[in-house]
Structures are given as structure tokens and as C-alpha cells.
Amino acid sequence: MALLVRLPDGQIRRFTSSFFIGREPGCEVELANSQVSRRHAQVSLVNGQWIVRDLQSSNGLFVDGARVETAAIGDGVAITLGSDGPTLDVEPERARTSSSTPAETTEEDLDAYAQRYFGSEDDDESVGGRTLMIRKAYQKVQQQQRRTQRLIVASIALIAVATGGYAFYAHHVLGQQIEQAQEIFYGMKQQDVVFAALEQKLAEAGNAPGQQQVAAYMADRERMLNNYDRYVANLFDRKLNAKEKLVMRVTRMFGECDAAAPPEYIGEVMRYVEKWRSTGQFANSLKRAQDGGYPQKIASAFLAQNLPPQYFYLAMRESGFDPYISGQPTRWGIAKGMWQFIPDTGRRFGLNIGPNAGRAGVDQFDDRLNWEKATPAAAKYIKEIYSTDAQASGLLVMASYNWGEVRVVDILRKMPQNPKDRNFWKLLAEHREQVPLQTYEYVFYIVAAAVIGEDPRLFGFPFDNPLGFVPASTDSKSQASSQ
């Protein structure tokens, strides 16, 4: 059901999917008011019900006068942003129906008929035999209906008790399965952290893990990954359609726990899929990449680092696969090239920075504009981000690439060390106000592009997977190694 939002100026907006309310440009409902945070609240459709959620705003979210963290929209509510901020009237769109009594039959006529044929027993002597017979037949029908209604009510009550008991049991079992799936997944994460620490310690001593250590680690991880895949299949396969399953599979490719994803996650990814579909940017960027021969070499660079080749789509979001593009001037310099390296990061990963680094435009001496040199550097950079406190969460890695790994890691280090408590979902739930809208959209655009890329025809594009040349076994191995 669509949602109607009446703005303070009287304008009415209609929404059919999740949207943000806030002061920051890019919010679907943008309000310039000092009481309103950059991203104040999100309205989402969850399990068929509209809800509004406070995004850790400075001045709070009030629904019908009461401060709330989350509230159901129901039949309609008044949402106030801050105690003295603007108010939005929000209600579901309803289909209007009308019925009318035939013009030839008035209300008085109906009252007269009702009194004549279904009046009280006190006036039985004043009516005819036919009318009296109709009254007795009606009374008999009423008695039968009352008996039938009592039976129906009793049956419904019994069914409701049984259904409620089963629903409670099913919900309990589902909750246990999700917990078990998460324990397996984050057990793998914890094992990755331990092994990464061992690799770092040995590297500092000038050594590397022995073949037996690596083999044992990979065998344990493969077993845990297979167990997790079985759990996820039981949880989702019969409940999701083909597009939704693809969203979850891509999420897992990037090393994020799909069993821990919030209910609105799939819908949010699909919203960004529609953003790609609404323009020609996806098809145009992909054509540029294929004409330049980029897909095979980009995929190979990431596979060489045991990373998912789907990071191909990070370049689509960064530059549209334009190897000569320059960004806007910033205090860190101008980002350049397909992977939009700033000068310091480019140097750190072995790229020569040209003499015209301080000016936009092509510089033949700047390796950032040489995509064949910049692509392996980007793969190494992303691999390094994986080794930080992002702890192999691909969605956190994307956020770090866009916003800066130092900013993301600084937030993560304030959260519990358990990987289960410092994933992308937790970052959004606990620190949403700090994450720029640009970074939020950056992550969802890349995930959505990867979802489309896995099966473009499923989403109405007239071409096949541009990474279809990557063998499934190799792709699976890179996922396991990068998580």
C-alpha cells in the first residue's frame, strides 16, 4: 500500500518504498529546519506494515506527541521532527469505494418494510396471515443463524489458539535457526581474524604460514561455510523470490552475514536496483568497460588478492569505467582515474603521481590514469582495508573506500570486538547519524549493481552477466578467502 505524506507547506507526496526524512540534500523528504538532523528518520515497509524509525537524531522523533524510537504508521500518524520541529501527517493511501441506495427506495420506505415484516410480536394480531408467517420464518432463520454463529466463533477461537501456538513455535524455531546461522558465520569471521593476526606476526618476523597451517585453516573454513550455506538455504530458499535470493547471495559474496540482515534490507537494495534501471548509466558504463576490455583484467586483479571479482562494480560507481576522469578538488588533493585514487593513497600503493596532480585533467605521467596499473593497486588497497577492524565485511570495506578507512575504523573501535557486533548493520543501527548519505548510497549502489550484474536479464537488461567468464568454483573460493 502506498503512503501519503503531507508536508508542512500542504504539499502531498506519495511513496511506495522506503524513504529518508532529514535536512541533508538527497533525503526524499528534505526539510530545512534547525530541529531536523541531517538524516532524522527513515520510513520503511516491513512485512506489509509501514514503520517510522528514528536515526539517532539530535532532537528526537515524536509520533502523535510521544517520543519514540520506532512506531507503526497504522491508519495514520502525525510525525514531528524534534519537540518543536515541523510536523508531517502520514497515512496509507486507501482505495475509495462508494455505495448508494437505489433512488426509488427511500430510507422511510425501508423503515416501513422493516416494521411491517420484522416488527415486534406485540402487534401480531394487527397484521395479516402472510406477514405473520414471514415473521415466524424470519425468527426461525435467526435462531439457526445464532447457533451457526456460536459454532463458527468457537471453531475460530480453537483455530486461533492452535495457529497462535504453532506461530509461536515456528517463530521460536526460526529465531534459533537464525542464531545458529549467525554463530557459524561469525565463527568463520573470528577464525579469519585469528589467522590474519598469525599471518601478520609471521610477516613481521620475515616468515609466512606453513602449507599445513594454511591447509588446516582452509579445510575448517570450507566445512563451516558449507554448514552456513545449508542453514541459509533452509531459512530463505522457500520464502524468497528469484530477485530476493540474488540479493542475499550477492550480500554473502561480499562477506556480509545475510542471516543478520534487517528486514528492510532487501527492499532497500531493490530500491537502488530501480535507481540503476531508471537511467541508462548501468548499460552505458558496462558498454564502456567491455569496449575497453576491462572486465577480465579487473576480475583477475581481485581474484589474485582472493577477493570477489564483483568489486568490478566499485569502479562502475566511482567513475563509470572512465580511466581519465578527475574528481573535485579536496583538502587531500584531486582524485583521479578509474579507481579515483587521491595522491597519497596512490603513492602508498606504488603509483607514480604526475606533475599536474593539483589540476584536473589528463596527465600522461600519472599512473592513476593508467587503468592497467591502477587496477592492481585498487585490489591491494581493498585487500588492506579487509585487514583492518572492518574484519572482512565487504559492505564496511566499500564504506571505508568511499568515506576513508580511518573514519570507519575509528567508529568500529568504539564498538564491541566481536565481529557479530561490529558489522555493517550495527554500524547503521548505532551510528547512522555519522555516516554521510553519500557513503550510504555508495554502498547500496554497488550492491545493487552487483545484483543486476549476476543476472541482468532477470531485471530487464538485454545482455548477460559481464563476469560470467569467472568459473563458479574460483568465485566461491575467492568469497571464502575474503570473508
Side-chain angles (χ1 to χ4, degrees), residues 189 253-256 302 307-308 311 314 318 339 378-406 408-409 412 422-425 427 439 442-443 446-447 482-483:
K189 292 274 191 180
M253 284 179 178
F254 284 120
E256 200 67 68
F302 283 101
L307 293 172
Y311 275 108
L314 187 144
E318 283 286 351
W339 299 94
K380 291 176 183 176
Y381 179 33
I382 289 173
K383 182 70 171 181
E384 181 180 278
I385 298 175
Y386 265 119
S387 68
T388 68
D389 289 55
Q391 295 182 317
S393 161
L395 275 59
L396 284 179
V397 169
M398 295 174 200
S400 299
Y401 195 99
N402 175 260
W403 192 28
E405 68 269 25
V406 174
V408 174
V409 168
L412 294 176
R422 53 164 58 178
N423 56 30
F424 182 70
W425 326 122
L427 178 72
T439 299
Y442 181 86
V443 172
I446 294 171
V447 174
S482 66
Q483 290 178 344

Side-chain angles (χ1 to χ4, degrees), residues 75 89 96 135 147-148 155 201 259 263 277 299 319 323 328 342 344 361 437 445 451 473:
D75 293 329
D89 293 319
R96 295 184 178 180
R135 285 187 179 183
R147 285 196 296 269
T148 302
S155 300
K201 185 176 180 180
R277 278 165 46 89
S319 63
Q328 296 296 318
I342 59 174
D344 284 349
L437 179 60
Y445 266 119
V451 168
S473 58

Side-chain angles (χ1 to χ4, degrees), residues 99-171:
S99 60
S100 60
T101 304
E104 64 272 15
T105 305
T106 66
E107 194 70 30
E108 290 77 11
D109 292 335
L110 292 176
D111 289 341
Y113 280 117
Q115 179 60 35
R116 176 175 179 80
Y117 290 106
F118 309 111
S120 65
E121 296 180 358
D122 295 339
D123 61 352
D124 280 355
E125 296 180 358
S126 62
V127 298
R130 184 171 179 275
T131 300
L132 188 60
M133 183 172 64
I134 291 174
R135 285 187 179 183
K136 290 181 178 179
Y138 175 67
Q139 291 169 0
K140 184 175 181 181
V141 169
Q142 278 188 313
Q143 291 173 353
Q144 292 175 338
Q145 287 179 335
R146 281 194 288 269
R147 285 196 296 269
T148 302
Q149 287 172 350
R150 285 195 291 269
L151 286 172
I152 291 173
V153 169
S155 300
I156 291 174
L158 183 61
I159 292 170
V161 170
T163 303
Y166 176 76
F168 175 80
Y169 170 76
H171 181 75

Side-chain angles (χ1 to χ4, degrees), residues 1-22 28-31 42-44 50-52 73 76-81 86-93:
M1 183 181 295
L3 200 66
L4 300 180
V5 179
R6 183 184 294 275
L7 304 182
D9 62 2
Q11 181 186 167
I12 295 177
R13 302 277 299 279
R14 183 177 183 272
F15 295 93
T16 57
S17 60
S18 301
F19 60 92
F20 291 102
I21 305 171
E28 286 80 358
V29 177
E30 183 182 343
L31 300 170
Q42 182 182 25
V43 179
S44 306
W50 286 102
I51 62 169
V52 60
I73 300 298
V77 295
I79 297 174
T80 303
L81 308 172
T87 296
L88 309 173
D89 293 319
V90 184
E91 65 176 0
E93 184 180 54

